[in-house]
Amino acid sequence: MSEKLKNLALRRNAIVIFRGLGKDNVISDLMYLLSADTDNMNVFIEYYCDFVNSLYENGSPDISKYILRAVLENDNFYIRKSAKGEMIPNEMTECLINELQFFQELTELTPDDFTENIDYDGFLPSWKNSPVDIAGSYLERLKLVHRYGYGKYAEYTMFILESYDTVPVKYPDKQKLSELYGYERERQAVIDNTLALLNGKKAQNVLLYGDAGTGKSSTVKAVVNEFADRGLRLVEITKEQLSDIPMLIDELSENPLKFIIFIDDLSFTAGEDCFGALKAVLEGSVSARSDNIAIYATSNRRHLIKENFSDREGDDVHRNDTMQEMLSLSARFGLRVNFSRPDKKNYTAIAIELAKAHGINMPDDEIILKAEQFAISSGNGRSPRTAKQFVNQLIMEM
């Protein structure tokens, strides 16, 4: 083993700030390879191929780009302190610069550095190197941490809540605003509110309500996709997880990014009491609101409550007060946007736009006739969802 590799193998043990990268499969296998004894060729080749396998499995044979991305996305105490604007001691900054230099040297390692003096003439897989500036890129990332974030929030855009932890959605809905037709006024209200959140202004909690299939959920996801590169993230929770919102807000409030906590298809029955947790959040209790977080919910019901006549009966002397509290829950959303079922003109206009977007060459009159027939025969009535299903049917027939 060369002196260069021996030196790197020793220095890896002195990593402090980026110590968590030791859990990264690629970097961990590279560390094992640095310590491999070339006198034991079987072990050396095994370590060498373990590393290349891990690198290849991550989609690219470029070691430089992989290490750069791993460093930039790493969640560590230095970037967290920097994101909060805290004073960072000189000792920590000196440590950072030295560790960034270490990773720079790792990006420059070539297969020849490991194989030039070994007693083996068989095939060994190779990897690529690209010119990267680890220190310069990381210092720039510190300046723009409010836009790119760190850790899993730098790598992913959408999350769900599982066992009190945010879990990345690896294959999220790629819905784009440009692919949604109709409801421009309603959608613009959601966009404007989201821009207020991104610009550090007071954003409202939003309720998107109305008929099924009108694009409420698609609007929220499309808005997140549109502004993800400006630091917007989404965490979706279920109705059963409403009581976890204060914990979630505590976790996200110190993050430099902006977050939408998304509750899809929200409704309650009269016997449920979990709406109390949501009520506390919407009313802005001390532990329930942060300037970098807004609640977005969708519902087919404006008042969120599924009410039966039997709910109005009983011996509760305060029954009316209880019902009024439940029915007024939606009023606690600062912005309420109605997505109502489109009339014939708007429905067929959406169908025509969708057909053109998919390259369907058919006269408008024919599309209008077929779209109406599809809405009736499908039993779903007019809606953007029905229009999309109609166009998919046309594509299949063609």
Side-chain angles (χ1 to χ4, degrees):
M1 180 184 293
S2 68
E3 290 301 317
K4 174 182 177 180
L5 297 183
K6 288 180 181 178
N7 179 263
L8 286 172
L10 283 173
R11 287 165 60 194
R12 68 169 187 170
N13 297 315
I15 296 298
V16 175
I17 295 174
F18 293 97
R19 206 166 188 84
L21 283 181
K23 298 177 182 178
D24 180 279
N25 289 340
V26 175
I27 294 178
S28 174
D29 286 341
L30 178 57
M31 296 301 102
Y32 281 119
L33 178 58
L34 283 174
S35 301
D37 184 359
T38 53
D39 291 335
N40 188 333
M41 195 52 55
N42 285 331
V43 173
F44 171 78
I45 292 175
E46 181 179 0
Y47 283 177
Y48 182 99
C49 292
D50 280 345
F51 162 66
V52 178
N53 172 71
S54 295
L55 184 63
Y56 283 10
E57 279 193 339
N58 279 275
S60 172
D62 194 320
I63 183 177
S64 307
K65 291 182 178 179
Y66 182 88
I67 292 175
L68 174 62
R69 181 172 63 85
V71 169
L72 291 180
E73 295 178 354
N74 181 246
D75 184 351
N76 58 69
F77 61 83
Y78 192 98
I79 198 168
R80 289 197 298 270
K81 290 176 73 69
S82 178
K84 294 176 186 177
E86 296 180 4
M87 183 69 68
I88 300 178
N90 292 336
E91 292 84 354
M92 288 186 182
T93 299
E94 182 182 10
C95 181
L96 175 75
I97 297 303
N98 277 277
E99 292 187 16
L100 292 175
Q101 178 58 37
F102 169 78
F103 286 107
Q104 180 70 45
E105 293 177 39
L106 291 186
T107 68
E108 298 166 359
L109 289 173
T110 68
D112 288 343
D113 288 321
F114 294 92
T115 62
E116 59 183 352
N117 294 316
I118 65 172
D119 185 19
Y120 176 73
D121 57 4
F123 173 80
L124 284 174
S126 185
W127 62 79
K128 295 195 305 182
N129 301 85
S130 297
V132 296
D133 179 5
I134 294 286
S137 298
Y138 195 78
L139 295 177
E140 184 67 19
R141 174 61 60 93
L142 290 176
K143 296 178 184 178
L144 299 175
V145 67
H146 64 283
R147 179 173 178 177
Y148 295 106
Y150 51 81
K152 58 188 175 183
Y153 298 111
E155 185 175 1
Y156 298 98
T157 300
M158 298 187 184
F159 302 80
I160 59 175
L161 189 64
E162 287 186 358
S163 301
Y164 307 105
D165 188 26
T166 52
V167 178
V169 178
K170 294 184 178 181
Y171 305 101
D173 189 340
K174 298 293 186 180
Q175 181 70 65
K176 298 179 180 179
L177 284 173
S178 60
E179 298 170 343
L180 297 175
Y181 301 99
Y183 300 91
E184 284 81 7
R185 179 178 58 82
E186 292 85 353
R187 202 162 285 122
Q188 191 61 49
V190 180
I191 292 172
D192 290 344
N193 189 74
T194 306
L195 288 174
L197 176 68
L198 288 171
N199 293 329
K201 300 178 181 178
K202 198 69 173 178
Q204 303 281 11
N205 295 314
V206 184
L207 174 64
L208 299 82
Y209 70 93
D211 298 295
T214 50
K216 302 181 293 295
S217 300
S218 295
T219 294
V220 175
K221 293 173 183 177
V223 165
V224 173
N225 288 330
E226 183 76 15
F227 299 116
D229 62 351
R230 292 180 57 175
L232 183 63
R233 300 293 184 266
L234 178 145
V235 180
E236 183 169 0
I237 67 173
T238 66
K239 180 177 66 175
E240 291 72 25
Q241 294 172 320
L242 289 177
S243 60
D244 298 330
I245 287 183
M247 174 276 299
L248 180 59
I249 289 177
D250 283 345
E251 177 188 336
L252 301 179
S253 61
E254 294 185 348
N255 197 293
L257 298 175
K258 309 296 184 181
F259 291 89
I260 289 174
I261 297 179
F262 180 47
I263 315 162
D264 195 20
D265 196 20
L266 180 64
S267 66
F268 302 95
T269 59
E272 293 180 298
D273 58 2
C274 58
F275 74 92
L278 178 59
K279 175 175 172 286
V281 173
L282 298 177
E283 289 182 339
S285 64
V286 174
S287 62
R289 190 66 201 268
S290 176
D291 290 339
N292 69 326
I293 298 170
I295 310 291
Y296 283 25
T298 68
S299 178
N300 293 341
R301 300 174 180 275
R302 179 176 182 178
H303 293 296
L304 304 179
I305 307 296
K306 181 180 179 182
E307 184 186 7
N308 300 316
F309 282 110
S310 60
D311 297 327
R312 299 178 181 272
E313 302 171 356
D315 56 3
D316 184 354
V317 295
H318 301 295
R319 174 70 61 180
N320 186 61
D321 291 344
T322 301
M323 293 306 302
Q324 286 303 314
E325 181 181 31
M326 295 172 66
L327 293 172
S328 65
L329 182 61
S330 63
R332 291 181 169 88
F333 286 89
L335 176 62
R336 298 177 296 283
V337 185
N338 181 17
F339 283 71
S340 58
R341 189 178 295 275
D343 57 18
K344 178 180 177 179
K345 179 181 178 180
N346 289 328
Y347 164 68
T348 53
I350 292 171
I352 290 171
E353 291 295 326
L354 281 171
K356 290 180 178 178
H358 286 82
I360 296 175
N361 186 18
M362 183 180 293
D364 289 357
D365 290 346
E366 188 174 352
I367 293 176
I368 291 172
L369 178 61
K370 289 180 177 290
E372 272 290 283
Q373 291 174 341
F374 184 87
I376 295 171
S377 63
S378 68
N380 296 326
R382 302 186 186 108
S383 73
R385 181 184 296 163
T386 301
K388 184 176 182 179
Q389 293 170 346
F390 160 68
V391 171
N392 288 339
Q393 179 73 19
L394 287 182
I395 295 171
M396 184 180 68
E397 292 174 353
M398 295 174 62

